[in-house]
Amino acid sequence: MVVCGDDGLAHRLATELRGVYREQVVLVVPPSRRTPPQPMAGRARAASAALFGRMVTAVNRGTGDADDTLVPDERVMEAAEPTEAVLADAGVDRAAALALVYDDDETNIRAALTARRLNPRLRLVLRLYNRRLGQHIEELLDQAAELAAGTTAGHRDGHGGHGGHGGHGGHGGHGADIATTVLSDADTTAPALVATALVGTSKVVDAEGLLLRAVERRPPRPGEVADPGLCTLALLSATSNDPAGAEGSEDSGDGPRLLPDAEAVAAATGRGAVVLEQVSYSGPPLPARRAGVMPFASLFSARLRWSLAGLVAAVVALAVALIVVTDDHPLHAVYITLLDLFAINDPAVDAPLGQQVLQLLSGLVGLLLLPVLLAAVLEALGTFRTASALRKPPRGLSGHVVLLGLGKIGTRVLTRLRELHIPVVCVEADPEARGMAVARRLRVPVVVGDVTQEGVLESAKIHRADALLALTSVDTTNLEAVLYARSVRPDLRAVLRLYDDDFAKAVYRTLRTAHPAALTRSRSVSHLAAPAFAGAMMGRQILGAIPVERRVLLFAAVVVDGHPQLEGRTAAEAFRPGAWRVLALDTAARGDTPGAEPPGSGLVWDLPDTYVLRAGDRVVLAATRRGLAELLGRRTRSPR
């Protein structure tokens, strides 16, 4: 694996590939700015060496997976730009995948075109901020790879996700090994930020728009029935609750057991478990509102509605009085009353005295009707004029999420929160921010103001909120907002985005010490984005990875065709304990539904054990590293 970049994402991505997937990595970083320059030294070299050193030490101490303890050699190169000579020296012509994560779109595109020419079979992962351009570049590079490799366009998997639409999305296929994947920071970090705000964890997997998390459950008490969730992913080590025990150590023989069968789960008394759950929101629901329909209550104010009701009652009373005085037909009496009301009836000069009095009263009511009608027209015009304006937080709002910053990442997080039907109040200092149009379209309340100013967070109802997401581009602003929110409500769940990973760790530890009863998470963009980029480098079928003590579980989307371990077998027969397990069936790939389908998703999780997997099926499965390599026919390395 070759990783080229100029910021913290490159170093974090290299560590993710080595620590989780046990891959050989060549890291290309800009040269150190020290004077005089020292070859293969500098800040980037030192940072990468420190990360690699910690990983090597951890694995040598037994933290590696039991089925794969190989620690490949690292190689760090320094180059100002990823030129053709630099890419060739990095071994792109022999590499399995290349990640270009520079902060400049043009640099990434130019290097991707060069790398595709050097190695048509290379799997490319690009970091681009321009989403529409990224989609076109992805199609162009894939087409060039197919032509150069002698394949047809029909071999390319049509389900592969574009970076602009939410990511590496992984759908395996014949062309997955030479596929190009374009990702952006906003799309890769949004699911983890949303899950952290809702349930306090970033150990999530985004499967077809559904957020899944791994939850550790304590051993059930006698007579207590444990909630199995969607499925049991692992049994924790027998010494996980013993302070003197070696948790998950390979020497103890009682380490974590991945993907156990039902018999192993039933026999594992006194051991905790890791179960898979769907991330959901349990707060107050959003008010029901039909799209494109404006309710009558929002069109006219309450005072105007009471005025109109009073005038209608006066007209009815005058019509009844006219019926009593003249003994006229009710319909004719109402007609005469309306004529008098609008002053278009003849004067009742020769009429009885009672009818003359009623005509004068009708004329007086008609005079009162004119200002009420004018007010109704003005209010209606004002309501339609402000329908596209920013909304203010309702008075009784509670249990919502306060989102600070509507930039690139904040806008994507806002969209994801609204897809989950979670009430949100946004705070943005720039009225022309890119997320303002999205908030206006989604009718999300927005407070325009600087969060560092007093009263801004109070306007967002921070004292009644469930969580705070500080996602502005300024680290000090995010930290100040969280500290101020802590002073208002000490138990508030807070998540802040910080640029530097070390700074994020220091802030997290300090806030955790100062507020032990509150849930605080500080995340850097590189820390949240690296797993998605690493999964894309491993292939589009990789959805994510979740650590279980000292081992790792991978989640992948695999097409059944071509895999004899799956094709023609039932879901129960395809389950191999300790290696892989089929979790869900993607009905969107076939167009049929063998079971109950969750709303808004094409995944069927309650798949019957008797369901026979067919060649055209696409399944989501959990697997160990060795199990996935065996299933996909990849060659695994032998420990040295």
Side-chain angles (χ1 to χ4, degrees):
M1 302 289 177
V2 181
V3 179
C4 302
D6 55 358
D7 57 7
L9 178 58
H11 305 286
R12 173 60 62 177
L13 176 56
T15 306
E16 185 83 10
L17 289 171
R18 289 176 49 80
V20 176
Y21 298 101
R22 300 291 189 268
E23 293 291 336
Q24 291 180 334
V25 181
V26 176
L27 179 60
V28 181
V29 294
S32 173
R33 296 181 181 178
R34 293 180 180 180
T35 303
Q38 301 176 5
M40 297 302 291
R43 183 173 57 185
R45 165 81 175 183
S48 302
L51 289 172
F52 286 138
R54 288 196 296 268
M55 189 61 62
V56 171
T57 303
V59 175
N60 289 338
R61 289 178 179 175
T63 60
D65 213 351
D67 53 11
D68 189 1
T69 57
L70 174 65
V71 184
D73 297 332
E74 71 271 14
R75 182 186 175 194
V76 181
M77 297 177 52
E78 290 189 353
E81 293 183 358
T83 61
E84 182 174 353
V86 171
L87 294 177
D89 190 20
V92 168
D93 56 332
R94 305 179 306 274
L98 167 66
L100 298 166
V101 292
Y102 290 95
D103 199 37
D104 180 58
D105 286 2
E106 183 179 351
T107 302
N108 293 329
I109 294 174
R110 185 169 59 248
L113 296 174
T114 303
R116 181 60 80 207
R117 187 177 67 255
L118 293 177
N119 185 358
R121 302 291 303 178
L122 183 68
R123 188 183 305 119
L124 287 174
V125 178
L126 278 73
R127 172 191 187 183
L128 295 183
Y129 293 96
N130 191 328
R131 304 172 71 180
R132 180 172 298 181
L133 175 62
Q135 181 176 352
H136 296 310
I137 290 296
E138 181 175 334
E139 296 174 354
L140 174 64
L141 292 173
D142 277 357
Q143 184 178 1
E146 290 171 353
L147 293 177
T151 61
T152 61
H155 287 168
R156 184 185 175 196
D157 183 18
H159 298 287
H162 295 294
H165 293 83
H168 62 292
H171 307 311
H174 297 290
D177 288 339
I178 59 172
T180 304
T181 306
V182 177
L183 299 173
S184 67
D185 295 347
D187 293 321
T188 54
T189 58
L193 288 171
V194 171
T196 305
L198 295 182
V199 295
T201 179
S202 59
K203 295 181 180 180
V204 295
V205 175
D206 189 359
E208 301 297 329
L210 293 178
L211 290 180
L212 307 173
R213 64 164 177 165
V215 183
E216 292 188 7
R217 296 282 178 81
R218 59 174 176 80
R221 299 174 182 176
E224 183 181 6
V225 179
D227 183 9
L230 295 177
C231 68
T232 300
L233 295 177
L235 296 174
L236 298 178
S237 59
T239 57
S240 60
N241 296 323
D242 184 7
E247 178 182 341
S249 64
E250 305 303 335
D251 298 334
S252 65
D254 293 325
R257 186 169 182 177
L258 304 183
L259 303 176
D261 53 14
E263 296 180 357
V265 173
T269 57
R271 298 180 64 170
V274 177
V275 299
L276 189 66
E277 289 185 349
Q278 179 181 347
V279 176
S280 59
Y281 176 69
S282 58
L286 291 174
R289 182 178 65 88
R290 291 183 297 174
V293 179
M294 183 173 297
F296 181 79
S298 63
L299 188 62
F300 301 110
S301 63
R303 184 176 302 177
L304 183 60
R305 293 197 300 270
W306 280 109
S307 300
L308 291 174
L311 288 175
V312 171
V315 172
V316 173
L318 290 173
V320 172
L322 184 61
I323 293 173
V324 173
V325 171
T326 62
D327 198 17
D328 199 357
H329 190 273
L331 293 178
H332 187 265
V334 173
Y335 175 70
I336 296 298
T337 302
L338 291 177
L339 292 178
D340 294 335
L341 184 70
F342 297 120
I344 58 177
N345 194 14
D346 295 331
V349 177
D350 299 330
L353 179 61
Q355 187 174 352
Q356 292 177 348
V357 173
L358 290 176
Q359 190 179 47
L360 292 176
L361 293 177
S362 300
L364 180 61
V365 173
L367 293 177
L368 298 176
L369 179 63
L370 291 178
V372 174
L373 292 178
L374 180 61
V377 172
L378 293 179
E379 278 201 5
L381 291 177
T383 301
F384 283 113
R385 188 181 298 112
T386 59
S388 60
L390 296 174
R391 299 181 60 196
K392 295 182 179 180
R395 291 185 178 180
L397 182 63
S398 63
H400 57 287
V401 175
V402 178
L403 175 62
L404 309 184
L406 287 177
K408 179 182 60 176
I409 294 180
T411 303
R412 187 68 185 93
V413 171
L414 172 62
T415 304
R416 194 70 184 94
L417 288 171
R418 296 299 288 117
E419 290 174 352
L420 296 175
H421 305 287
I422 299 172
V424 187
V425 175
C426 300
V427 180
E428 175 58 51
D430 184 11
E432 302 298 329
R434 69 172 67 190
M436 284 295 191
V438 178
R440 187 179 295 109
R441 175 174 54 85
L442 298 176
R443 298 185 61 81
V444 174
V446 179
V447 177
V448 179
D450 189 357
V451 295
T452 60
Q453 300 297 324
E454 186 176 357
V456 175
L457 285 178
E458 284 81 356
S459 301
K461 307 294 187 295
I462 190 65
H463 56 285
R464 292 201 298 263
D466 268 2
L468 170 66
L469 277 169
L471 305 180
T472 68
S473 57
V474 183
D475 289 357
T476 55
T477 301
N478 295 334
L479 181 57
E480 183 178 355
V482 171
L483 293 177
Y484 181 75
R486 279 278 182 265
S487 64
V488 175
R489 184 176 172 184
D491 61 341
L492 179 69
R493 181 186 294 121
V495 180
L496 64 157
R497 163 199 172 190
L498 300 174
Y499 180 78
D500 185 71
D501 198 23
D502 294 333
F503 182 49
K505 294 178 182 178
V507 169
Y508 165 69
R509 292 171 181 171
T510 305
L511 290 176
R512 182 182 59 182
T513 303
H515 302 276
L519 180 60
T520 306
R521 293 291 184 268
S522 57
R523 294 288 185 263
S524 65
V525 175
S526 61
H527 178 84
L528 296 176
F533 280 85
M537 292 188 71
M538 296 302 298
R540 286 189 174 182
Q541 68 271 20
I542 302 295
L543 299 178
I546 291 180
V548 179
E549 292 185 355
R550 299 182 176 185
R551 303 181 66 179
V552 175
L553 267 180
L554 303 179
F555 292 82
V558 178
V559 177
V560 175
D561 188 15
H563 299 289
Q565 303 94 331
L566 303 177
E567 186 176 357
R569 300 175 180 265
T570 63
E573 294 172 347
F575 173 36
R576 181 180 295 182
W580 62 75
R581 176 175 183 173
V582 176
L583 300 178
L585 175 68
D586 184 9
T587 58
R590 295 184 56 91
D592 54 2
T593 305
E597 183 176 344
S601 170
L603 297 179
V604 176
W605 294 95
D606 53 348
L607 193 64
D609 292 339
T610 57
Y611 178 79
V612 179
L613 301 177
R614 292 171 285 180
D617 288 340
R618 178 174 169 269
V619 295
V620 176
L621 51 84
T624 62
R625 280 191 291 257
R626 179 174 292 249
L628 185 61
E630 178 184 351
L631 183 63
L632 299 180
R634 294 174 178 170
R635 180 178 58 89
T636 59
R637 307 184 190 93
S638 300
R640 290 184 298 181

